[in-house]
Amino acid sequence: DTEVDDTCSCLRSLVDLGDAKANEEEPSAALALYLKALHILKALVPKTQIRGDRSGTDLAALFVATLDKAQVVATLVDQDSASRQVWVPESLVFREATHLCCEAAVQEKFEGPAALATVRTQFQKALRLLLCLWLAPDATIDDRTALLPYVQPLVLHLQQAHRDPVSVALAKRCLARHSARPDSTNRDRSMSY
């Protein structure tokens, strides 16, 4: 199923960010990200159980791996009272996505074609992180409306400057699935790249 595959693709970036926070010895931030990923995965489980397709296997593997990581990090948070800072996963994801875009834009400007592969990867990762927020089952119309000005230019840049049809197609499918506003004019506008 395309919807499950798309969401799993985006969620891998979210889990990778959790891994990075765990490696940076920020277990409470990592735990917040893992729990956000598990929350999104939980919403997909009924869809794959009904159909029983191959996507369900990938989803189950991602769910189990993320749950294992969350349990390990939760133990670290319990052991270290200093790491009990409260993190908002959406804020962590948004900050990381904007950081990746800024870093990629600077590299693109000053390093030119030599950094093309690295820059494209950073933009792709930023897009997938923002799409995680877009696809979250608890994302509201206001959340999606706030994300749109960040997602649209990123997709346009990947399409025009990096000729990346895979990321562009992924974004278009995700944006089409969850319109920022319930009216059709917004859906048409979000798909006009």
Side-chain angles (χ1 to χ4, degrees):
D1 179 21
T2 307
E3 180 181 1
V4 174
D5 291 339
D6 289 349
T7 305
C8 284
S9 171
C10 294
L11 284 173
R12 284 186 186 89
S13 294
L14 184 59
V15 172
D16 289 346
L17 179 57
D19 294 347
K21 292 297 180 185
N23 290 335
E24 294 169 7
E25 297 185 13
E26 294 183 42
S28 58
L31 182 59
L33 293 164
Y34 293 148
L35 292 175
K36 182 67 176 179
L38 288 169
H39 178 70
I40 296 169
L41 284 165
K42 181 180 137 192
L44 290 177
V45 170
K47 294 176 184 178
T48 58
Q49 287 177 336
I50 292 168
R51 287 188 298 268
D53 56 10
R54 180 199 58 79
S55 299
T57 308
D58 295 342
L59 178 72
L62 183 58
F63 190 89
V64 169
T66 305
L67 183 59
D68 289 344
K69 290 176 183 188
Q71 289 171 334
V72 168
V73 172
T75 305
L76 295 173
V77 172
D78 282 345
Q79 292 171 355
D80 182 13
S81 61
S83 68
R84 290 194 182 150
Q85 180 177 352
V86 176
W87 291 96
V88 177
E90 293 82 2
S91 177
L92 288 166
V93 169
F94 186 78
R95 277 190 269 151
E96 180 66 14
T98 54
H99 172 75
L100 285 168
C101 287
C102 289
E103 199 173 85
V106 169
Q107 281 183 314
E108 191 172 51
K109 175 73 174 167
F110 295 108
E111 294 177 28
L116 188 61
T118 304
V119 167
R120 183 179 315 123
T121 300
Q122 287 176 299
F123 282 133
Q124 290 167 336
K125 186 173 181 180
L127 176 64
R128 281 177 170 76
L129 286 169
L130 292 174
L131 290 175
C132 277
L133 299 178
W134 185 275
L135 295 170
D138 56 347
T140 65
I141 290 172
D142 290 340
D143 294 335
R144 291 187 180 116
T145 301
L147 283 169
L148 209 51
Y150 297 93
V151 173
Q152 284 181 322
L154 187 52
V155 172
L156 189 61
H157 185 72
L158 281 166
Q159 181 179 16
Q160 292 176 347
H162 295 279
R163 312 237 186 277
D164 182 2
V166 174
S167 294
V168 171
L170 169 69
K172 285 184 177 183
R173 286 190 305 269
C174 293
L175 294 175
R177 237 179 257 126
H178 301 284
S179 178
R181 290 195 197 112
D183 61 65
S184 61
T185 23
N186 185 62
R187 180 170 289 138
D188 293 340
R189 193 168 36 103
S190 72
M191 297 302 292
S192 62
Y193 294 108

